[in-house]
Every structure is written in structure tokens, then in C-alpha cells.
Amino acid sequence: MIHQQGSLMPSLLSDVFCQCQSGDTHLGVDPGGGHTEDPPSTAPRQPGAGDRHSEPGQSTHQCDTCGGPEQEHRLKVLFQVLDVNGDGGICVNDLTIGLKKLGVHRTEHELRKIVKAGDKDLDGQLDFEEFVHYLRDHEKKLRLVFKSLDKKNDGRIDSQEIMQSLRDLGVVISEEQSDQILRSMDKNGTMTIDWNEWRDYHLLHPADNIPEIILHWKHSTIFDVGESVLVPDEFTAEEKKTGMLWRHLVAGGGAGAVSRTCTAPLDRLKVLMQVHSSKSNSMRISGGFMQMIREGGVRSLWRGNGINVLKIAPESAIKFMAYEQIKRLMGSNQETLGIAERLVAGSLAGAFAQSSIYPMEVLKTRLALRKTGQYSGIVHCAKQIFQKEGAAAFYKGYVPNMLGIIPYAGIDLAVYETLKNYWLQRFATDSADPGVFVLLACGTTSCTCGQLSSYPLALVRTRMQAQATQQGGPQMTMSTLFRHIIKTEGPLGLYRGLAPNFMKVIPSVSISYVVYEYLKVQLGVQSK
């Protein structure tokens, strides 16, 4: 089958729509080859046997918006080609077969979107009038996309403009790959795309590539490894307008709660090893689990998980709202930001969210380290800390926590975008959807690299949060604690608890993805 612009569809669409260069003035063609201005008419009717042919000396070819017998005839030809069973309506099955005949390949989901967008009477198919209205409405949207890509405002898109537009969104492609994109749409061999070529190629495609990438490659919303410092995901304008983004966030929060609960024993073991393990007191994974069970039973493996789950909702909501506000303050009017802008905006939003809920982080550490009977619950723990140590205790370890945001978020974002771009360049042919295994592999790799880069800061933060629980222990500052660890344990001392931390990454990512996909269905999220 033919996949490129050389198929029958582009030439047929070019026949259907005249070559107007302005979206404001609609032109017809007079017999002498000049253009005559015609006023717009109402929606076209389905041609019948009583249609009259144009008289000599009158226009024989009019704009799609202007109507006219010849225009209606050409629309009817396209409609008849796609109406495979000849019942006067185009359904998804008709589009599948009809477009294949014309060498155009679309997924079933894309074809359903076309029918749904144009089906005004909700009968599951497009009659002639609905079909024409869909084409014209979609053409308006395509013109907006074309204008956004046409950086030079010269009515043409060249290779550099495609590269720049994608680079602004963090999608880096080579000049050769940009040329391949051009060749797929370029009919006249100029290696530039004018409006007509762009329209003909995309008219029966329900979405353009950039929003599709945003939809399929969400990261921080889906994957939860117990840390909430990732740069927030971008959402399309449609998702924001319809409120789907909040359903995404709710689904992500639910997935995070399940994921954290399932991996809580490994998370508590990590905290214990960060605080208590040393050269003289080596703690292994099996020994650490046995110690926890002997001290407090099997239920003690989940100490600190309650507050860890409770903080998901406020932190996610605050971070997303702060991210959107920071984007506005940065003066960006784009649907998405470039990588550098995303890192700055995401890091600031993460710092604001962490500052807002940081007392919950301290409570999580204290509850994870508590002995049986020490605290009766979250509220009792908070009261004890406030009464014995004062309000300042709720911000112990705050500085290393803030410093750890940039390397964690930056490395995670850079690795994820690199893997994403590699896959899009090498393997994305018909869709930007990477599939579950590619998405999980990219998410796992980027999260692991991000955690590894900031782990020493995370360990120092945890030890500072736990300082008051160690009777008679010295109260060290961040720099003093760093020097003390290096001096007494060596550089490897900064990576205590790394093994259980990495052990929980793959199950955390996998569980959060599965639960996220399930909750999306339950919440009616339409992201594909």
C-alpha cells in the first residue's frame, strides 16, 4: 500500500478544494484564468439530478466555501469513494476501506474521532452535509497549525522551520529527518510545503503530531516512585478546556497511592538503612526486614506509609497550579515549553510544592523510624515534635531537600526526553504512541538516573529529619553531616539504602502505570 503523498487522496482533495491563498477572501476561477471574488454561500446540499451545468462564460470552478455545481460534484465524488456500501452515510468501516483504496492509512481510533467530530445527529455515520462540514471545520484548525509552523510568515514551511518548531517542544530531529517529513507532503519537489500541500496531506487526519506526542508521552503523572519532584507533564489545550487534566491528576494520584502502598516495606527499609546503617552497624536487606518484623510484626513494614499517601494530593495539586502560574509569569504563550524552560518552571513549582507540604515529609520519616508504641498516629507524632522541638523541627533537612530537586528533576527530564526523541526518530512511523513496554522502560531508566544523581542529598536530608530521634546524638548542619559521613564511612556512606531504593523502582513504575490506566477508564479519561 502507498503511505506517502503520491497517493490518489491528495490529488482528489486538491480537486475538491480550489487553491485559495487567503483565509479571508474566497476566489473562483473565471474562464480566462483570472480570479473573481464570490461571496460565501450557505452549507452545500447534496447534488441531485436537477443540478444545472454552468452557462458559457460563467465560472466553472469555485472555492469550497463558495459552493457551486462543480464544487458540489467533486465533493460528491469524494463522498461516493468513501461511502463504500453506498447507503448515503460514511461510517468507520467505510472510512477504513475507502481510505485504503486511496492509499491513506489511519488507525481505527483516528477514524472514530473523524466520525465523532462530524456526526451532528449522533447516528454513527456522516451524511453528505455532515461530511462537508467536517472537512471545512477541520481545515480551519489545520490553517492555525500551519500559521504557527510558518515562522517566517512567507506562506511556506521549510526544513528549518519544522526543526525549530519541534525543538521548541523538546523534540530534536536531524535535518535529514526534517527533509523526510517535507518529502512526504511536498508534491511539486520544491522541498517546501505551501498551505495547499499541508491541507491536502492532513485533512483526513484528526490530530497533528505535537499534541499526539503530548498525549502519549506523559511521565510524571503516570509514574510514581515515592518522590514527587519530577517536572510536571504538559497537557494539551483540549485537555485543559475539557477538564480532562484534573481526571489525569486524580488517576495519577490514585496510582501513586497504590504504588507507594505496595512498595512501602522497601521504602521503610531504605529509611532505616539511611539513618542506622554504618561501617560498624552494617544492615543487609534480609536482616533489615527480619529486624522490622521482630520489633513490630508484619504491619510495622508499612509504618510511615499513611502520611506518604496523604501528601500525594496536596503536593500534586500545588505543583501543577504553581507550574501553570510560573509559565504565565515567564511570558510563554505556547501550548508547551522547551526543555530548559520546563526545567526552570518545573523546579520552581516543585520547590514551592515541597515547601508547602515539607512538614509531612518530616512526619513520614519520624513515623517510619518510630518504635512500637512511640506514637499513636500522625496527629500524636506532630504534637510530640512540636512540644519537644518546636515548629522549626518540621523543616529539618529542608535545604538539602531543595538542593536535590534540580539534579533529580533535571537528570530525569533530560534522560526521558533523550529516550523519547530517540524512539520518535527511529521507530515512530504512523503514531507517536510508544506502547506500554517502551514507556515503562523510558520511565524506569529516567527515574533511576534522577534518583542516583540526587541520592546523597536525599540521604543527608533523611538523617537531618531523624536527628532528634537519636537520643544524645549531635545536631549537625548539612555541611557538617556531609563531612562526617565522608570521614567516618567514606563516599559509599552517602549511598546507604540505595539497593532497596532501586529495588522498588521497577515495581513502583509498573504498578503505577497499570493502576493509572485502569483509573483512566473508570474516570472516563480520553487521552488517546
Side-chain angles (χ1 to χ4, degrees):
M1 285 295 185
I2 302 172
H3 290 264
Q4 300 299 329
Q5 187 67 14
S7 65
L8 296 175
M9 174 59 77
S11 60
L12 186 52
L13 289 177
S14 295
D15 288 340
V16 170
F17 296 99
C18 71
Q19 307 299 302
C20 296
Q21 297 301 321
S22 168
D24 302 317
T25 304
H26 301 287
L27 304 175
V29 181
D30 65 26
H35 286 75
T36 60
E37 187 166 316
D38 292 323
S41 67
T42 57
R45 55 181 175 79
Q46 185 166 341
D51 285 339
R52 294 180 301 170
H53 295 288
S54 57
E55 297 296 328
Q58 291 183 339
S59 173
T60 60
H61 183 189
Q62 293 178 316
C63 172
D64 58 295
T65 309
C66 305
E70 187 170 341
Q71 171 63 22
E72 288 185 357
H73 173 70
R74 287 171 174 165
L75 287 170
K76 180 63 175 176
V77 170
L78 178 59
F79 184 83
Q80 288 176 340
V81 169
L82 297 176
D83 182 17
V84 177
N85 57 12
D87 63 353
I90 298 175
C91 62
V92 173
N93 186 56
D94 287 335
L95 279 177
T96 302
I97 299 173
L99 289 177
K100 281 185 178 179
K101 289 181 179 178
L102 297 171
V104 178
H105 297 264
R106 299 287 179 255
T107 66
E108 183 179 351
H109 172 72
E110 291 169 343
L111 297 181
R112 288 187 185 280
K113 286 185 70 174
I114 291 175
V115 174
K116 183 178 179 181
D119 185 16
K120 303 302 181 184
D121 57 7
L122 303 178
D123 63 351
Q125 61 181 7
L126 303 179
D127 58 29
F128 181 75
E129 185 173 339
E130 290 172 334
F131 175 68
V132 174
H133 273 292
Y134 169 79
L135 290 181
R136 292 177 179 172
D137 182 64
H138 194 54
E139 183 182 12
K140 294 176 184 177
K141 298 176 182 177
L142 288 174
R143 185 176 288 278
L144 293 176
V145 177
F146 180 85
K147 288 181 177 179
S148 70
L149 294 174
D150 183 17
K151 305 290 186 183
K152 301 174 185 175
N153 294 318
D154 59 357
R156 292 182 174 275
I157 301 172
D158 59 26
S159 177
Q160 293 299 320
E161 287 172 323
I162 290 178
M163 292 174 64
Q164 181 59 48
S165 296
L166 293 177
R167 190 180 298 115
D168 290 342
L169 296 170
V171 181
V172 181
I173 64 173
S174 66
E175 188 169 353
E176 180 182 354
Q177 291 164 332
S178 180
D179 289 342
Q180 290 177 354
I181 295 173
L182 279 175
R183 277 192 289 270
S184 69
M185 290 180 269
D186 181 26
K187 293 187 294 183
N188 55 15
T190 61
M191 287 306 291
T192 60
I193 306 167
D194 61 22
W195 157 241
N196 299 301
E197 291 170 321
W198 171 267
R199 177 200 61 207
D200 291 352
Y201 186 83
H202 288 286
L203 199 55
L204 284 175
H205 195 302
D208 57 273
N209 290 336
I210 293 171
E212 187 182 12
I213 293 171
I214 296 173
L215 289 175
H216 287 301
W217 287 87
K218 285 184 171 56
H219 175 37
S220 66
T221 307
I222 301 176
F223 302 128
D224 188 291
V225 292
E227 303 284 350
S228 300
V229 295
L230 302 183
V231 174
D233 285 319
E234 296 286 354
F235 289 89
T236 64
E238 181 182 358
E239 288 175 307
K240 294 176 183 177
K241 184 178 180 180
T242 60
M244 282 293 170
L245 71 91
W246 291 109
R247 298 189 189 186
H248 275 288
L249 293 178
V250 171
V258 175
S259 173
R260 293 185 186 192
T261 300
C262 291
T263 59
L266 284 168
D267 190 67
R268 188 182 179 218
L269 177 61
K270 177 196 73 175
V271 173
L272 289 173
M273 293 178 73
Q274 285 178 331
V275 175
H276 297 304
S277 181
S278 64
K279 278 187 175 181
S280 59
N281 182 31
S282 179
M283 183 183 294
R284 300 188 180 277
I285 293 175
S286 57
F289 276 125
M290 294 304 298
Q291 179 181 325
M292 287 189 287
I293 293 173
R294 281 197 302 267
E295 194 277 328
V298 175
R299 289 186 61 185
S300 69
L301 297 175
W302 277 267
R303 285 178 183 170
N305 181 62
I307 190 71
N308 198 31
V309 169
L310 284 176
K311 70 185 180 72
I312 293 175
E315 184 172 14
S316 298
I318 293 170
K319 183 167 67 173
F320 177 76
M321 289 187 290
Y323 182 66
E324 291 298 310
Q325 290 299 321
I326 292 168
K327 282 170 61 175
R328 293 190 184 96
L329 291 175
M330 292 172 66
S332 174
N333 57 1
Q334 302 177 37
E335 185 172 66
T336 60
L337 300 178
I339 292 181
E341 292 172 310
R342 282 191 66 195
L343 177 58
V344 173
S347 297
L348 290 174
F352 184 79
Q354 283 279 297
S355 298
S356 303
I357 59 92
Y358 192 76
M360 300 177 79
E361 294 279 359
V362 175
L363 287 172
K364 177 223 168 188
T365 299
R366 295 294 181 90
L367 288 167
L369 294 169
R370 79 181 190 270
K371 301 293 184 181
T372 301
Q374 185 177 357
Y375 303 120
S376 60
I378 297 172
V379 175
H380 182 239
C381 178
K383 285 182 178 179
Q384 290 292 307
I385 293 174
F386 181 76
Q387 291 172 358
K388 296 180 179 179
E389 305 172 50
F394 289 105
Y395 281 88
K396 286 188 174 182
Y398 177 78
V399 173
N401 185 71
M402 292 296 107
L403 293 176
I405 290 177
I406 295 178
Y408 191 133
I411 297 296
D412 173 84
L413 180 64
V415 172
Y416 189 77
E417 291 295 322
T418 299
L419 295 174
K420 179 183 80 173
N421 291 329
Y422 177 80
W423 187 90
L424 289 171
Q425 291 171 19
R426 294 291 300 273
F427 305 106
T429 53
D430 299 324
S431 171
D433 185 0
V436 56
F437 293 111
V438 172
L439 203 61
L440 288 176
C442 293
T444 301
T445 303
S446 64
C447 287
T448 300
C449 293
Q451 286 189 334
L452 186 62
S453 67
S454 65
Y455 195 82
L457 287 164
L459 180 138
V460 170
R461 174 201 66 192
T462 303
R463 288 202 180 182
M464 292 180 71
Q465 290 172 340
Q467 278 182 354
T469 66
Q470 297 176 340
Q471 297 297 327
Q475 301 294 304
M476 298 184 183
T477 63
M478 180 183 72
S479 57
T480 304
L481 192 51
F482 260 116
R483 289 194 297 268
H484 175 75
I485 294 173
I486 294 293
K487 181 179 180 180
T488 58
E489 304 177 46
L492 290 179
L494 295 171
Y495 291 90
R496 300 284 182 189
L498 187 64
N501 184 72
F502 279 176
M503 286 174 62
K504 75 184 181 76
V505 170
I506 293 179
S508 293
V509 168
S510 303
I511 293 169
S512 61
Y513 179 85
V514 171
V515 177
Y516 175 80
E517 290 296 315
Y518 174 78
L519 291 177
K520 276 203 319 182
V521 175
Q522 300 302 311
L523 294 170
V525 173
Q526 299 172 348
S527 64
K528 295 185 179 181

